[in-house]
Amino acid sequence: MTTLAMRKPSTTGKIVLAILALVALLGVGTGIYRLVVGLGATTNLSDAFPWGLWIGFDFSLIAFAGAGFTLAAVIYILNLEQYRPLARASVLTGLLGYTAVLVILLIDLGRPDRFWGFVVFWNYHSPLFEISWCVLLYTTVLALEFAPMLFERFNKPNIVKAIHSITIPLVIAGVTLSTLHQSTLGTLYLALPNKTDQLWWTWVLPLLFYVSSIGMGLAATIFVWILGSKAFGRDVEVDLLGGLAKGSIWIWVFYLVVRGGDLLFTGDMAAVFAFDSQSIWFWIETIIGVILPIVLFSRASIRASQGGLFIVSLMAIVGVFMNRFNATLTAQAVTQYTVPAVSEVASYSPSWIEYSVQFGVLAAVALAWYFAARLLPIFPETAKEGH
Amino acid sequence: MSRAVLVDLTRCIGCRSCQVACKSWNDNPAEQTKCLGAYDNPPSFSADTWTVVQFNEVEQADRLQWVFAKRQCMHCEHPGCVAVCTVGALTKTPEGPVVYEASRCIGCRYCQYGCPFGVPSFEWDKPLGLIRKCTFCVDRAEEGYETACVKACPTDALTMGTRHEMISEAHRRINARPHKYHGHIYGEKEAGGTSWLYISPVPFEELGFPMLDGEPMDYASSVIMNATPVTLAAAVGVLSGLYWLTKKKSQAAEEEG
Ligand code: SF4
Ligand code: SF4
Ligand code: SF4
């Protein structure tokens, strides 16, 4: 076994780890409770709001886990070798992100015991069918991309070599699968034309979801790298992250042009300036997640500062989260037939169990990331080779 | 020719016989209800209530009047629920009914969003919940019977026949007594057409029926879903091409350096 040089946690670090462990444990407990007693007793979901907090997080986390395919494309497809040190961390983020999504989806399903249904029963017209398949296959790709870190740690150079020999086909498969399902998450709403608010329903939604998952992937890489480096008290490669930040400007500019152009073209501009709750959410997500990252990342001084990189990438992340939540929750409610005379308006806010399960899974994923980085060759100083 | 039901709201007296008949034929238990300040009871569909009579108070010619409307699954011609179902648990049969195969369902609840009429209901109070909705009484149709609700209706507000016949019948009634009807046949075109058709004394907006155009719900999404093979091929092509290009460039740079 190789000896790894990652630092042991400080006292504050230990407290943070303990809190994460507690939150994760509570999540496991409430998650099991939900599986035993059902969705009605544990969540505030209803026939008027069949999807809630969990789906919002799932769709956002899939974009967050886009770190994996984005960096793979940067390093192996665009051949930007200088970013290779970030490769392993982004694969880890991707793998753990998708694992979190799968766990939450399982808990959210009415029949978790039949989660495999889509493998046997096909409806290739259904966006969710395609997403399920892509997520399954892509998680497999991520697991294969992750495997060399395990086998390197346990000194199995032959296996590492075998997997490395198929790196390029693996990367192409991974990026293709990501292209499909990140965009199909947008198509998912196209099937709901009378429910999705006009500010989110657009023919270009699949493209917007895809482009923002790339922006999110870059932001997530920066964010996780800084957090991870802090956890181990190592110096952050600011110049490297600054390069990603600079690249992400173009992604967000493209996003903004498509988003704005579409609103102009389809004549939904009136809705943008209606300043009702929908339009206000639209503005918040666009300013925080798109416009500010463009403006701030354009400044060399911000790209050269660790704090600046961290805060601005966090803004982009929050913006994409808001976008996914807005498309799922703000702009959605099943038009259920309710008593017209009473005009009872259905509403939804997540139950504490929904929060507990959600944050439990997030805490578990953070812990898994930490221990993986501590025990496996994730950072360049512990990796044998740059792969 | 596919089966259809014409609901004539001018004939409905709000007796709820259909609601009761549906419950008893399908062995669906009664629901604990509460007063909501209206006569509608229960106020909407649920896993145990597949049809509901809506009590609309509508102002017409300066006086308030009731317009009752029985609601249930519309058994759409191009059902949104069928288009989105992850595992193909919902299917449109050539005979008309949109049927649900419970043994396939994974409980993802996408159908609840895909349906423009808010019909599929989930079993929220079960640990392993499934979807439930009006079946168009397929089990009765197999034996050659009309649906339980149609059978129970005392005023012939519900008429069953082929979709073609029901549309002609609707036109016939509207033309025979134009003053009695608001001319629109709801379901003839809506969301690509439905197997349950409605004619009414008042505009359907006033009854809270969703205003839909003639496009099936999955019109846009199916265009894009059908292009999946193209997206796939394009992604593989572009990525391989980019890889090849950048590789060549970096090799050239290496040789120079
Ligand atoms: S009314 Fe809804 S549930 Fe019934 S067939 Fe149409 S889309 Fe499906
Ligand atoms: S809940 Fe069941 S019927 Fe509805 S879309 Fe999901 S798998 Fe299909
Ligand atoms: S057709 Fe059958 S299942 Fe549907 S509402 Fe009528 S009685 Fe109920």
Side-chain angles (χ1 to χ4, degrees):
Chain A
M1 275 209 206
T2 46
T3 32
L4 296 179
M6 297 323 291
R7 209 165 76 176
K8 296 254 151 60
S10 60
T11 320
T12 351
K14 278 185 187 143
I15 295 174
V16 174
L17 290 177
I19 293 175
L20 285 177
L22 266 179
V23 176
L25 270 180
L26 189 63
V28 172
T30 41
I32 291 173
Y33 179 62
R34 129 75 191 113
L35 290 176
V36 173
V37 301
L39 285 163
T42 47
T43 69
N44 286 341
L45 301 171
S46 62
D47 283 334
F49 283 92
W51 288 351
L53 180 81
W54 291 339
I55 290 284
F57 260 96
D58 280 336
F59 292 177
S60 311
L61 279 175
I62 290 180
F64 189 88
F69 91 90
T70 309
L71 259 274
V74 166
I75 297 164
Y76 295 101
I77 305 292
L78 300 181
N79 235 313
L80 298 172
E81 274 297 320
Q82 66 269 33
Y83 295 107
R84 191 173 286 256
L86 308 176
R88 296 189 151 189
S90 68
V91 166
L92 181 61
T93 304
L95 182 61
L96 290 176
Y98 277 95
T99 310
V101 168
L102 291 174
V103 171
I104 291 291
L105 272 181
L106 199 66
I107 291 178
D108 203 350
L109 281 186
R111 295 296 304 249
D113 54 322
R114 292 185 189 164
F115 71 93
W116 45 267
F118 69 93
V119 179
V120 189
F121 304 120
W122 287 32
N123 177 16
Y124 44 77
H125 287 293
S126 166
L128 212 44
F129 169 76
E130 193 209 290
I131 294 166
S132 308
W133 264 103
C134 286
V135 167
L136 175 72
L137 293 176
Y138 182 52
T139 310
T140 315
V141 168
L142 280 168
L144 279 173
E145 289 177 344
F146 175 75
M149 306 174 212
L150 266 184
F151 290 116
E152 191 180 306
R153 176 82 171 93
F154 296 107
N155 280 331
K156 297 270 187 290
N158 289 341
I159 304 181
V160 175
K161 240 173 103 187
I163 299 176
H164 278 169
S165 69
I166 54 161
T167 299
I168 298 302
L170 261 188
V171 166
I172 292 183
V175 179
T176 303
L177 289 167
S178 299
T179 305
L180 286 180
H181 74 274
Q182 297 281 5
S183 61
T184 306
L185 280 164
T187 316
L188 186 142
Y189 299 99
L190 288 192
L192 322 173
N194 71 326
K195 300 206 183 68
T196 312
D197 188 87
Q198 56 177 337
L199 284 177
W200 286 273
W201 195 98
T202 151
W203 275 90
V204 295
L205 195 64
L207 178 65
L208 290 173
F209 265 53
Y210 178 53
V211 174
S212 57
S213 78
I214 298 174
M216 172 77 132
L218 293 173
T221 306
I222 298 172
F223 177 80
V224 172
W225 188 263
I226 295 178
L227 260 188
S229 298
K230 287 275 128 195
F232 294 109
R234 64 187 294 282
D235 288 331
V236 174
E237 293 81 343
V238 172
D239 49 334
L240 215 51
L241 301 183
L244 291 183
K246 198 167 177 185
S248 78
I249 298 173
W250 296 109
I251 305 289
W252 290 123
V253 167
F254 180 68
Y255 178 89
L256 199 61
V257 169
V258 177
R259 188 88 158 101
D262 171 67
L263 287 170
L264 264 178
F265 187 70
T266 56
D268 285 340
M269 270 299 169
V272 173
F273 295 103
F275 296 108
D276 50 7
S277 77
Q278 246 78 314
S279 105
I280 290 169
W281 277 112
F282 166 83
W283 278 109
I284 298 178
E285 85 171 41
T286 312
I287 291 175
I288 294 186
V290 185
I291 296 175
L292 281 178
I294 294 174
V295 173
L296 296 173
F297 272 156
S298 298
R299 302 177 70 103
S301 61
I302 289 186
R303 291 200 311 272
S305 104
Q306 186 181 301
L309 283 168
F310 187 77
I311 302 274
V312 180
S313 57
L314 182 59
M315 288 165 89
I317 292 168
V318 170
V320 178
F321 262 82
M322 281 178 146
N323 172 261
R324 302 303 195 256
F325 268 90
N326 284 340
T328 318
L329 284 179
T330 315
Q332 302 275 348
V334 166
T335 35
Q336 215 202 0
Y337 149 58
T338 39
V339 190
V342 182
S343 67
E344 196 185 25
V345 182
S347 69
Y348 163 79
S349 62
S351 71
W352 75 267
I353 292 186
E354 288 176 77
Y355 281 117
S356 157
V357 171
Q358 185 61 56
F359 288 116
V361 170
L362 293 180
V365 159
L367 280 177
W369 203 101
Y370 171 81
F371 282 107
R374 198 165 134 190
L375 301 172
L376 299 174
I378 304 289
F379 285 109
E381 52 268 41
T382 51
K384 258 198 196 151
E385 35 186 326
H387 286 277
Chain B
M1 195 59 199
S2 77
R3 204 149 19 105
V5 174
L6 176 64
V7 186
D8 189 337
L9 300 187
T10 64
R11 294 187 183 183
C12 179
I13 54 168
C15 70
R16 282 196 268 242
S17 298
C18 52
Q19 220 175 298
V20 175
C22 179
K23 285 253 182 202
S24 65
W25 175 256
N26 294 297
D27 283 332
N28 282 339
E31 265 181 67
Q32 182 71 47
T33 56
K34 59 176 194 283
C35 179
L36 288 164
Y39 287 85
D40 306 59
N41 217 343
S44 58
F45 306 123
S46 75
D48 292 329
T49 304
W50 300 346
T51 185
V52 173
V53 177
Q54 202 184 332
F55 283 55
N56 300 289
E57 289 157 35
V58 180
E59 217 173 310
Q60 204 193 18
D62 283 342
R63 79 197 167 89
L64 211 58
Q65 78 168 75
W66 289 112
V67 178
F68 311 105
K70 172 196 188 301
R71 305 288 296 269
Q72 72 297 306
C73 173
M74 301 289 278
H75 298 278
C76 307
E77 296 283 285
H78 302 277
C81 62
V82 171
V84 299
C85 176
T86 316
V87 290
L90 291 152
T91 33
K92 171 81 180 171
T93 59
E95 297 79 36
V98 171
V99 295
Y100 167 68
E101 205 179 314
S103 62
R104 277 195 179 200
C105 175
I106 55 174
C108 68
R109 310 189 289 286
Y110 194 12
C111 55
Q112 296 195 277
Y113 284 98
C115 168
F117 302 102
V119 168
S121 303
F122 184 74
E123 295 173 314
W124 294 102
D125 47 9
K126 288 199 183 160
L128 295 173
L130 288 170
I131 290 293
R132 307 194 76 198
K133 72 166 192 73
C134 154
T135 63
F136 213 152
C137 287
V138 268
D139 45 353
R140 291 173 60 91
E142 279 158 13
E143 308 295 323
Y145 293 113
E146 69 276 69
T147 69
C149 51
V150 168
K151 169 118 178 108
C153 182
T155 60
D156 273 344
L158 311 174
T159 318
M160 215 167 152
T162 68
R163 186 159 190 273
H164 190 74
E165 283 166 3
M166 290 303 101
I167 291 174
S168 319
E169 174 64 12
H171 281 297
R172 195 191 61 75
R173 289 190 201 172
I174 292 170
N175 291 336
R177 305 168 86 179
H179 57 281
K180 215 177 143 189
Y181 293 99
H182 170 77
H184 187 68
I185 304 174
Y186 191 95
E188 187 181 3
K189 301 261 160 56
E190 273 78 5
T194 58
S195 298
W196 281 66
L197 302 153
Y198 288 77
I199 46 177
S200 152
V202 297
F204 286 95
E205 291 100 306
E206 294 182 27
L207 306 177
F209 280 50
M211 290 298 108
L212 304 163
D213 55 24
E215 253 164 32
M217 302 317 285
D218 65 324
Y219 173 65
S221 71
S222 69
V223 169
I224 295 186
M225 290 311 295
N226 288 340
T228 303
V230 182
T231 320
L232 195 132
V236 174
V238 168
L239 292 170
S240 313
L242 271 177
Y243 168 72
W244 184 73
L245 274 178
T246 55
K247 192 84 191 168
K248 231 173 61 174
K249 228 171 90 185
S250 75
Q251 271 167 359
E254 256 166 48
E255 275 161 28
E256 270 172 34

